[in-house]
Amino acid sequence: MSRTAFPFATHDVAGLARALGRELAASEKTPGHVELLNMLARSAGYRNFQHFRANHAAEARLASLPVPPEPVDLKRVEHAAKHFDGAGRLTRWPAKDSRRALCLWVLWSRIPAAETFNEAQVNELLRAWHLFDDPALLRRCLFDTGRLWRTPDGRRYRRIEQRPPEEALVLIRHLGRQAH
């Protein structure tokens, strides 16, 4: 008969050890297999092993469900798009943080993936995509928002690979079509 493996993890191993110790101390005899499973499950915060098992099965079912796409605020995308010219260059630095974030995603998308650059090269890339001549501001913002990695001495930079939010993807596609 085949068995289903259930991963068992805890965020607090000391708490698990204390709870398991209390369970074992309260036991009058050496616990059997099922009793040990129940003790472990209770020590991890479940009612019993069946509760642990049902929770694991529900988690697996939910993980297989498709994730609905996040709603896109097209008005916000439209406002952010107004900060770019017909060639897709950033004309001014947005006053609102939400628009800045979308604009930074556009700049992030234009940095080649899996390549390492020095500071001058990053500045050159950024200068090509904006018109207000402040690549240092853009470079710092990309780094501060976790979209650009740099060495502690600031000599090497690399784009951090991640999936942009849906609104940023819509803006990136819109500007890509507009520039062609």
Side-chain angles (χ1 to χ4, degrees):
M1 179 162 93
S2 66
R3 290 184 303 182
T4 304
F6 298 104
F8 184 82
T10 183
H11 295 291
D12 180 13
V13 74
L16 175 72
R18 281 191 299 276
L20 190 54
R22 283 192 300 273
E23 289 269 348
L24 288 170
S27 179
E28 295 177 8
K29 59 180 174 55
T30 303
H33 176 76
V34 174
E35 290 170 309
L36 278 173
L37 287 173
N38 285 330
M39 286 180 182
L40 279 168
R42 282 192 299 268
S43 297
Y46 298 94
R47 289 188 303 271
N48 54 34
F49 181 70
Q50 290 300 338
H51 180 222
F52 168 75
R53 187 176 179 173
N55 191 64
H56 178 74
E59 186 177 23
R61 284 191 304 272
L62 289 174
S64 67
L65 292 177
V67 178
E70 35 182 296
V72 175
D73 183 349
L74 294 176
K75 192 70 175 165
R76 191 170 145 208
V77 172
E78 182 181 45
H79 284 296
K82 291 178 183 177
H83 292 278
F84 292 87
D85 68 4
R89 295 174 300 194
L90 189 60
T91 58
R92 62 189 179 283
W93 189 233
K96 291 190 173 188
D97 285 337
S98 62
R99 292 181 190 156
R100 279 187 208 148
L102 288 176
C103 292
L104 285 172
W105 279 115
V106 171
L107 297 177
W108 169 89
S109 73
R110 294 174 178 172
I111 297 172
E115 289 187 36
T116 302
F117 303 94
N118 63 35
E119 184 176 308
Q121 291 169 318
V122 172
N123 287 345
E124 184 180 325
L125 288 171
L126 294 173
R127 273 195 181 95
W129 303 319
H130 81 287
L131 300 176
F132 52 90
D133 198 32
D134 197 350
L137 167 76
L138 300 173
R139 191 182 67 246
R140 278 192 308 270
C141 288
L142 286 165
F143 173 76
D144 291 343
T145 57
R147 296 180 191 133
L148 196 61
W149 167 88
R150 72 173 179 215
T151 57
D153 62 5
R155 289 187 174 187
R156 297 278 170 224
Y157 291 81
R158 181 182 284 256
R159 181 174 109 167
I160 296 174
E161 295 308 309
Q162 53 195 301
R163 179 172 170 77
E166 286 301 315
E167 289 174 346
L169 291 172
V170 169
L171 180 61
I172 291 165
R173 282 192 295 270
H174 169 71
L175 293 173
R177 284 191 305 267
Q178 182 181 4
H180 290 102

